[in-house]
Amino acid sequence: RADLEAVRARLSQLVLRSRAAGRLSLHRPHDLVGRHIRRGELVGHVVPQADPVVRVVVPESEADLVLQHTRSVELRRASERARVLPARIERIAPRLEDSVPSPALATAGGGAISLDPTDPARSRTLGRYLQLDLALLAGQSDVTLFGERVHVRFAHESEPMAGRLWRGVRQ
């Protein structure tokens, strides 16, 4: 009986359970079949059922245009560019930052933002950026964006050429 209880205890430890509710997002689901997973190894993430939030950065030179003249926002997942996901600006950081919220946005991570080569921590950018949090509009509950790169399009109001030139001179 003691041996049977020990085996049952070991078997119960083979089942992975999350303490949080949500949708399971596996990193490489095809690699898991028949594979031994060590204790503490990252298998995936449990993504909460709450609406996903996308953090984006806008260069300082375009911050005023995005804040003052944005008519609509669209997202496209890097893995599925044909599908347009309508979004809205949820939150705006109160100040311009000289850092990126994720290393994936920097050139070393495949993004377009250059980091300061003199910074030993490699976390400071050469320019300043406005951070925005975008939320998907209603009806997009089937979308999981956790850890995925997205392309954002800010559609602006039309304006006369003189207004655009004036903004360019002001900047």
Side-chain angles (χ1 to χ4, degrees):
R1 286 188 178 170
D3 289 343
L4 182 60
E5 287 301 317
V7 169
R8 284 185 179 154
R10 287 183 58 203
L11 280 175
S12 70
Q13 292 177 351
L14 296 177
V15 177
L16 299 175
R17 285 186 172 61
S18 171
R19 294 184 186 133
R23 185 183 309 169
L24 178 63
S25 174
L26 298 173
H27 287 285
R28 294 182 304 232
H30 303 296
D31 292 349
L32 293 177
V33 177
R35 185 170 158 248
H36 175 73
I37 300 170
R38 289 187 288 280
R39 182 181 295 266
E41 184 178 351
L42 183 63
V43 176
H45 294 280
V46 176
V47 181
Q49 291 292 7
D51 294 333
V53 174
V54 178
R55 179 152 299 151
V56 298
V57 292
V58 176
E60 180 179 15
S61 61
E62 298 173 15
D64 184 53
L65 179 65
V66 169
L67 292 176
Q68 302 299 325
H69 301 285
T70 297
R71 185 171 36 111
S72 64
V73 181
E74 295 176 348
L75 302 176
R76 292 177 190 256
R77 297 164 60 173
S79 63
E80 190 181 3
R81 288 194 177 186
R83 184 176 179 190
V84 176
L85 304 169
R88 71 183 187 302
I89 297 175
E90 180 78 15
R91 223 173 353 267
I92 302 168
R95 60 189 167 100
L96 295 170
E97 302 274 340
D98 64 349
S99 62
V100 288
S102 169
L105 297 173
T107 52
I113 298 174
S114 299
L115 296 177
D116 185 357
T118 61
D119 180 26
R122 305 282 296 157
S123 63
R124 195 171 59 225
T125 60
L126 290 174
R128 291 165 42 115
Y129 294 88
L130 176 69
Q131 289 187 20
L132 304 170
D133 286 348
L134 305 179
L136 296 178
L137 295 182
Q140 305 292 330
S141 61
D142 64 325
V143 178
T144 302
L145 297 173
F146 185 78
E148 186 167 354
R149 185 181 305 273
V150 297
H151 300 277
V152 181
R153 180 177 183 266
F154 294 97
H156 305 295
E157 301 167 349
S158 60
E159 68 177 313
M161 186 59 104
R164 294 176 70 181
L165 288 172
W166 172 246
R167 187 177 59 250
V169 168
R170 231 181 45 211
Q171 289 175 349

